[in-house]
């Protein structure tokens, strides 16, 4: 799957596993091992889905959440990386499946993808600094924490997790992320770490991928343009800002973009 193809797809049509694999392969284009590990991930998810379908399908949200956690965290041993949280491989879906540890968002993608593979409804919930998964069924919802072995989480515990990061539950509850938002959050983790490490080239590469998979998110184009300008690629920065103009309806953002475009044009004189 090409990254640009993801950007053209309707959100509901995005296969999270295949999209995650595409991002991993883009990051490891010269590694034959990554291709083999990607095939292993496909077989793993397919095998989980077959097992859940063969067994008596639980109807309640709590039972479904337990079934997912029993396979992903219990049998496969996939859980959060508490020792090397900032390792960029924790935001690589294929690497997470191979190493057995990852970030909250990467692990949540696996839970949500597996649930949906067999027709269950599940959502990744965006908390400040964390991600939980809500599994639905039987008229109820169950919260689990993929980063902590898929354990059950109460609404009070979810609120406490948010409070630790300086946030609080919105009036309508924590928002469910779309497929594209999940992928963006996963790659943004890598990009943020690259910027913190001063690796502008790496950060720019990641923002190029982000704008490919989520071309309608204008903020990504802005960050990409800033990085391009920083390394003197003014023509590329202008192209990114022009793309941003086509995706934003915010009048203040439009003024800011036009002002920056004028500055970039002047720098070429």
């Amino acid at each position: 799957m090409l990254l640009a193809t993801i950007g053209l797809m309707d959100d509901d049509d995005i296969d999270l596993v295949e999209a995650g694999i595409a991002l991993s392969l883009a990051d490891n284009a010269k590694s034959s091992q990554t291709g083999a590990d990607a095939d292993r991930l496909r077989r793993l998810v397919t095998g989980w889905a077959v097992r859940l379908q063969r067994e008596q399908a639980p109807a309640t949200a709590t039972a479904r959440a337990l079934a997912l956690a029993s396979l992903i965290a219990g049998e496969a041993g996939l859980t959060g990386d508490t020792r090397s949280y900032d390792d960029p491989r924790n935001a690589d879906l294929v690497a997470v499946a191979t190493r057995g540890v990852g970030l909250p968002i990467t692990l949540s993608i696996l839970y949500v993808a597996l649930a949906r593979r067999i027709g269950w409804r599940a959502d990744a919930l965006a908390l400040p600094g964390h991600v939980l998964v809500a599994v639905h069924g039987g008229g109820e919802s169950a919260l689990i924490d993929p980063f902590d072995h898929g354990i059950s989480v109460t609404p009070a515990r979810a609120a406490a997790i948010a409070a630790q990061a300086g946030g609080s539950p919105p009036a309508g509850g924590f928002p469910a992320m779309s497929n594209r938002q999940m992928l963006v959050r996963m790659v943004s983790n890598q990009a943020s770490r690259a910027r913190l490490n001063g690796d502008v080239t790496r950060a720019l590469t990641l923002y190029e991928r982000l704008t490919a998979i989520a071309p309608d998110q204008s903020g990504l184009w802005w960050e990409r343009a800033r990085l391009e300008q920083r390394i003197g690629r003014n023509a590329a920065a202008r192209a990114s800002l022009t793309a941003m103009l086509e995706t934003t309806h915010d009048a203040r953002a439009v003024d800011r973009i036009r002002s920056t475009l004028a500055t970039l044009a002047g720098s070429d004189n």
Side-chain angles (χ1 to χ4, degrees):
M1 177 185 292
L2 297 176
L3 299 186
T5 302
I6 300 172
L8 296 172
M9 298 174 73
D10 289 337
D11 193 83
D12 289 343
D13 293 333
I14 296 174
D15 184 307
L16 288 169
V17 172
E18 287 302 323
I21 286 173
L23 287 163
S24 181
L25 291 175
D27 223 18
N28 302 278
K30 297 181 180 180
S31 171
S32 59
Q33 184 60 47
T34 301
D37 289 341
D39 288 337
R40 176 182 173 276
L41 172 57
R42 291 187 179 102
R43 292 192 300 271
L44 190 62
V45 175
T46 298
W48 287 337
V50 169
R51 285 187 55 183
L52 288 173
Q53 288 172 322
R54 283 179 177 173
E55 298 168 0
Q56 185 174 359
T60 68
T62 301
R64 289 178 174 182
L66 178 60
L68 293 170
S70 294
L71 285 175
I72 298 175
E75 291 193 15
L78 301 180
T79 191
D81 189 346
T82 58
R83 294 185 177 182
S84 52
Y85 189 89
D86 291 333
D87 190 319
R89 293 175 295 177
N90 287 332
D92 180 317
L93 195 67
V94 173
V96 167
T98 302
R99 298 173 62 237
V101 291
L103 293 176
I105 180 58
T106 322
L107 293 162
S108 295
I109 284 175
L110 284 174
Y111 277 77
V112 171
L114 176 57
R116 294 177 180 173
R117 183 73 64 94
I118 59 173
W120 294 351
R121 183 185 161 206
D123 299 299
L125 305 184
L127 278 68
H130 202 62
V131 180
L132 297 177
V133 169
V135 183
H136 311 280
E140 64 173 9
S141 298
L143 291 178
I144 53 177
D145 187 351
F147 192 74
D148 190 6
H149 307 280
I151 65 169
S152 176
V153 176
T154 64
R157 174 57 184 156
I161 292 172
Q164 289 173 358
S168 59
F174 296 109
M177 288 184 278
S178 68
N179 289 331
R180 189 168 277 108
Q181 286 172 331
M182 283 187 269
L183 296 172
V184 167
R185 184 156 177 163
M186 181 173 69
V187 179
S188 294
N189 270 284
Q190 294 176 316
S192 296
R193 284 166 176 74
R195 294 182 73 165
L196 286 172
N197 292 332
D199 192 343
V200 178
T201 300
R202 167 68 173 164
L204 177 55
T205 296
L206 292 166
Y207 271 100
E208 289 170 346
R209 291 175 192 159
L210 285 166
T211 52
I213 65 175
D216 291 339
Q217 294 190 25
S218 58
L220 299 176
W221 288 105
W222 179 261
E223 294 302 325
R224 173 174 169 172
R226 289 179 62 191
L227 291 167
E228 288 166 334
Q229 182 183 12
R230 185 172 171 183
I231 61 175
R233 292 175 55 184
N234 288 347
R238 288 197 299 270
S240 294
L241 290 171
T242 300
M244 185 180 176
L245 275 176
E246 298 173 355
T247 62
T248 185
H249 302 288
D250 186 326
R252 288 178 297 180
V254 169
D255 290 341
R256 186 182 184 190
I257 295 166
R258 288 175 175 165
S259 175
T260 305
L261 282 169
T263 299
L264 287 173
S267 68
D268 290 338
N269 295 330

